[in-house]
Structure formats: C-alpha cells, structure tokens
C-alpha cells in the first residue's frame, strides 16, 4: 500500500475567529416602532453562490443594534474567504420563533455588506466597518445613503492558541526497502464530520532507521475538536516519487496519547484489513511511544499581524527558450486572445489573490530570468518593468502588465538559473531587516525547467534561511523536477559549498502541470505553509508580537 502526500514540514494550525456584529443608522421599516434587525452570514463561493453560515438573534426596536450572538469561523490563510452579511427587519409575528426557522423572504431587507475574512484580521484592531447597501433586493437601484453601517469585529479564540506538543518515536519498524532500511515519517490526521481523513501535521523524515525518534510536533486542540476526538497516526516510508509506503498506523485521541505518555506504555501499529465481512486488522510488532506530551499556549500568525507585521510579495518568471515561442498556442507563455490565462498568469493570479491582503503598499518586486533584453546579453535577473533603476510594480495587475510587456521586449534564451533572483530577494529582505521593518517576504518563482546552477542555488538558499524570506517554486510544463525536490529539503536540510547547513527549510515546490484546468488546490496547499514558515522564523529569532 502506498499513498501520495505533498511533504510539508509543518501544517499551520488554523486560527478560529469569533465574529461580533453591530450596526448604526439602520433604515426604519416599521410604522409605530423601530426596526427589529437580524443578520444572516453567508460564505460566497468562486462562482458567486452563497452558503448560509449563521444567524444572529433578533434585536427588538433598534436602529443601532449590537448583536450578542458570535459566529466562530476557521481562518484559512491559503484561501480567500468571502463573507456576505445581510441585515433584515424581522416581522413581529416571527419574534418568538427560532431564528433558524424564520423565512427570510418574508422579512424586510435592510441592507447588505461584504468583505473577506483577511480584510478583517489584517486590521490592527481586527475591526472593519462596512457600508450597508441595497442592491437587487431593493425596489430601486443600489444605494448607500440612509442604509447604515455594519461593523464586524474578530476575536481570536483562546482555545485556538492552545496546543499539545508531542514527541513520538517508534520501535521495530518493518523494512519497506529491498536493500536498505526504511526512511520513516509520521502523518497525524483528523476525521471530519463526513468521515474524510484530513492531515493536520507531520514529522520530518528520518533516514535508514527502524527505531526513529522524531522532533516534536504541535497539534491544536480546537483544530481537532477536543482531546477526545479520534486521530489517526500513520507511519510511512518516504519515497522520492511522492508515493510513500504505509508501514503501519494507530488510531488514538489526544487523551489516549496522554495516557500512553503517563503510563510509559506503547501502542502497536497495525495494517488495515482488506474489505470483507471476516477481515481483521493485522497487528504488528512495531510500536508507537509518546515521549513528550505537553500542553502550551503560543503566539499565532494572527498575533503578529495585529502588531503590524506584513507579508510582502515578490515574483520571478522563467523566460527561457524551453517555454516555446510566445506567439504560438503551444507555448507556456502564449497570451490567449480569449483572455484565458496561461500557466504563468494563472500562478501569479492565484498566489497574488491571497497575498495582496497582507502587503500594505501593494508594491511588488518583479523579475524575469533566462532571457536576452533588447541589445543586451542573457540576463538571469532583470526587472520585469523594463527599468534599470527599480524593480517594483503596482499591484497584481501591475505584475501581469509588466509580464506581458516583457514577452515582446526580450528574446527567450537560457539556461535556467535561480541563484541571482534568490540573491536579489534576499538583499531586499536583509535591507528591510536592517531597517527594523516588520516585514516577511515571499518570493514566487515560476519555471518550466530544471535548473543548471543547483549548488549555487543551494548556497543562496542556505544564506536566505537566516532572513525573513520564504520561496515558493511552481513548476509548469512537463519537465523532470527531481532537483526541485532537493531544494524543497523535505528529506534533509540544504548544505552550502562551505558545509553550512540551512537553519530552516524556506522552500516549497509544487509541479503545477494542469495549471490551466482551474484547479487551485495545489497552490492552496503551497500557500498553506507560509504562516508556519513565518512563525518558525519568528521563534528562531525569538521575536515576540509586541505593539
């Protein structure tokens, strides 16, 4: 049995936000009294569809209500969480009904407001005031006058900061390799209400060891539900092709693991039985031990945002000739007249859509590499905007415009070299650090090929690991990306020419071969790592979230 996992050093613990709502200057729809308002909260999908999340209570006779009901929502950094708030005046005959039973179409519509969850949590006070507008549901055109304002406040749940630190080890693991010992790692997963198994954290890979002792991992109690919620802990043998062999598994709750730790006992791993009425799990001699079980409260990514920290976006685009002639439809750089984005555009839009909320000035350094600018030699780091003095562009659309302009002002060449763009990004991060700025940088490299300066790139990455910088590499096209897996450093830390080992892993790589299919899940899994890498840097440098 094997399974394909995108190997991630740490899976960021999601924060849980409690949303509080209040309004001012609502419209008065009642004749003899003031309106009796209620808010309905929706999530808005990419296709514009609305899914109801919650309803507040009805506040009687008020145009400036403060609702007591709070709605708890899991904050996911890697996705854009669009929220819609609709305020309605509930008719008197429905006041004694459960709010869930109230028919919304029979109530008076007072106004609507929308925002993203990221817009709320990135405010210093985590509070956002929105104009209530009357759109399609009103009898006239959309208006903002006399419709009032809605204020949404977010408060991070204390429980979302409570984690359990686990240090796990195994004994007598079976070998899955023919001529060597296994390279084991653990994946801890939870069960959703629908029965799906969702990974929440994993250990590092330990090479050639049947009695591995992994570094500590953290599990958030609110994320899994409670200490009694069932978890599955799977032990895999790492394979470079991403198809990892299952060695064995156990199913325990956090409470069960705490008991194992207290008693100094172990749990036997098992192999799940094949489907059948009389089938039974195969119990193994291999055992799982809990050497450390420790509950603690720690600072979260949102704590740092509240103190003014930013994520600053940078991008570097591969202009090597292997992408194909941009004027031909089979090129990865082809600009489709229909407006359908190519592989590079899709990656920029998907990543930029998430990151732009966390960058205050929206000025993004943007480079190209592997091309020959007009009347010049091949450059492995040139400013995408065509300037010789500065590299920044304004907004995500500025990146897109500069990219399309560059396609017609450079000649695609080669080879594929990463070192110079990583060094340029590291220089910007270092200058910001020296100024004492509260910034963390993310460099997105989009490439179609295998790099030719592997050791030079590794040297640059080892240096950059000391800086407030993460690097996302998206591979487009059909190239062999084995060297990218080396840079990803999931199996072992990068080492420089001088023998220095990177203090942390700052690279995440995904091959995005089907980028034009519209599936954003691959990039979302890539982005999900950023808060973890941000926190790892802050804890490494012992930086506290202070105002």
């Amino acid at each position: 049995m094997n399974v394909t996992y995108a190997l991630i050093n740490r899976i960021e613990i999601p924060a849980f936000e409690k949303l509080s709502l209040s309004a001012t200057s609502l419209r008065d729809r009642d004749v003899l009294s003031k309106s009796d308002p209620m808010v309905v909260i929706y999530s808005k999908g990419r296709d514009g569809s609305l899914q109801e999340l919650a309803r507040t209570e009805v506040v009687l006779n008020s145009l400036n209500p403060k609702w007591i009901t709070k709605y708890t929502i899991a904050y996911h950094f890697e996705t854009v969480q669009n929220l819609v708030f609709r305020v309605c005046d509930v008719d008197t005959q429905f006041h004694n009904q459960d709010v869930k039973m109230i028919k919304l179409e029979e109530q008076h519509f007072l106004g609507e407001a929308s925002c993203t969850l990221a817009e709320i949590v990135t405010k210093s006070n985590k509070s956002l005031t929105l104009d209530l507008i009357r759109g399609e549901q009103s009898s006239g055109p959309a208006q903002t006058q006399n419709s009032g304002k809605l204020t949404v406040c977010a408060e991070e749940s204390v429980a979302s900061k409570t984690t359990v630190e686990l240090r796990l080890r195994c004994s007598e693991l079976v070998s899955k390799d023919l001529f060597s010992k296994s390279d084991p790692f653990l994946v801890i997963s939870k069960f959703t209400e629908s029965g799906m198994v969702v990974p929440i954290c994993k250990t590092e890979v330990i090479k050639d060891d049947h009695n591995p002792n992994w570094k500590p991992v953290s599990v958030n109690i609110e994320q899994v539900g409670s200490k009694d919620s069932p978890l599955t802990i799977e032990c895999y043998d790492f394979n470079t092709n991403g198809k990892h062999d299952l060695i064995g598994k156990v199913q325990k709750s956090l409470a069960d693991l705490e008991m194992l730790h207290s008693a100094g006992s172990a749990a036997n791993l098992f192999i799940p039985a094949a489907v059948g009425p009389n089938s039974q799990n195969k119990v193994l001699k291999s055992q799982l031990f809990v050497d450390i079980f420790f509950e603690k409260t720690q600072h979260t990514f949102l704590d740092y945002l509240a103190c003014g920290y930013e994520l600053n976006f940078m991008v570097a685009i591969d202009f090597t000739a292997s992408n194909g002639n941009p004027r031909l439809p089979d090129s990865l750089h082809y600009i489709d007249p229909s407006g359908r984005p190519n592989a590079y555009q899709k990656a920029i839009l998907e990543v930029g859509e998430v990151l732009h909320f966390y960058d205050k000035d929206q000025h993004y350094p943007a480079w190209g590499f592997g091309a020959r600018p007009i009347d010049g030699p091949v450059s492995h780091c040139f400013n995408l905007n065509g300037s010789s003095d500065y590299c920044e562009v304004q907004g995500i659309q500025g990146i897109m415009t500069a990219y399309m302009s560059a396609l017609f002002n450079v000649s695609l060449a080669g080879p594929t070299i990463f070192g110079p763009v990583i060094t340029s990004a590291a220089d910007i991060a270092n200058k910001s650090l020296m100024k004492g700025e509260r910034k963390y940088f993310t460099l997105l490299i989009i490439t179609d090929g295998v790099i030719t300066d592997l050791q030079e790139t590794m040297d640059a990455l080892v240096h950059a690991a000391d800086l407030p910088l993460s690097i996302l590499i998206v591979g487009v096209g059909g190239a062999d990306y084995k060297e990218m897996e080396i840079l990803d450093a999931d199996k072992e830390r990068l080492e420089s020419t001088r023998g220095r080992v990177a203090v942390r892993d700052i690279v995440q790589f995904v091959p995005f071969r089907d980028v034009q299919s519209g599936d954003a899940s691959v990039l979302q899994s890539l982005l999900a790592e950023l808060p973890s890498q941000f926190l790892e840097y802050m804890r490494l440098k012992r930086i506290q979230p202070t105002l």
Side-chain angles (χ1 to χ4, degrees), residues 502-521:
V503 296
R504 62 191 183 101
D505 174 19
I506 64 170
V507 176
Q508 291 298 327
F509 166 74
V510 292
F512 204 36
R513 303 186 193 281
D514 299 322
V515 68
Q516 298 190 66
S517 69
D519 181 11
S521 61

Side-chain angles (χ1 to χ4, degrees), residues 15 55 91 107 113 129 131 141 231 239 278-279 343 374 402 469-470 475 521 533:
R55 299 181 183 188
D91 195 271
Q107 315 310 316
T129 298
D131 288 321
L231 300 172
N239 288 314
N278 299 317
S279 57
I374 296 174
L469 175 66
S470 286
S521 61
Q533 292 190 352

Side-chain angles (χ1 to χ4, degrees), residues 448-489:
D448 85 314
V450 180
I451 61 173
T452 57
D453 65 333
L454 180 60
Q455 188 56 58
E456 291 82 355
T457 297
M458 291 171 65
D459 289 347
L461 290 173
V462 170
H463 168 69
D466 275 323
L467 299 170
L469 175 66
S470 286
I471 298 174
L472 311 178
I473 303 176
V474 175
V476 296
D480 183 351
Y481 290 113
K482 287 183 180 178
E483 289 181 344
M484 298 300 179
E485 301 291 351
I486 296 174
L487 299 182
D488 205 338

Side-chain angles (χ1 to χ4, degrees), residues 356-415:
H356 84 275
F357 292 109
Y358 304 88
D359 191 324
K360 292 179 182 177
D361 67 8
Q362 308 277 299
H363 289 166
Y364 307 130
W367 301 287
F369 60 92
R372 182 180 291 106
I374 296 174
D375 301 325
V378 174
S379 173
H380 301 294
C381 184
F382 58 89
N383 296 333
L384 205 62
N385 59 17
S387 170
S388 58
D389 301 321
Y390 62 95
C391 61
E392 291 185 341
V393 298
Q394 177 66 47
I396 302 303
Q397 190 54 50
I399 298 176
M400 300 291 281
T401 301
Y403 162 63
M404 289 187 286
S405 177
L407 282 175
F408 298 99
N409 288 287
V410 301
S411 299
L412 274 58

Side-chain angles (χ1 to χ4, degrees), residues 218-240:
S218 292
V219 177
N220 177 262
I221 292 178
E222 189 168 57
Q223 181 187 14
V224 301
S226 72
K227 289 178 70 173
D228 294 317
S229 299
L231 300 172
T232 179
I233 304 174
E234 299 165 301
C235 185
Y236 287 96
D237 175 28
F238 177 90
N239 288 314
T240 54

Side-chain angles (χ1 to χ4, degrees), residues 65-81:
K66 293 183 179 179
W67 290 276
I68 296 174
T69 303
K70 294 178 172 61
Y71 174 65
T72 300
I73 182 172
Y75 161 75
H76 297 287
F77 169 82
E78 69 276 11
T79 60
V80 178
Q81 294 171 271

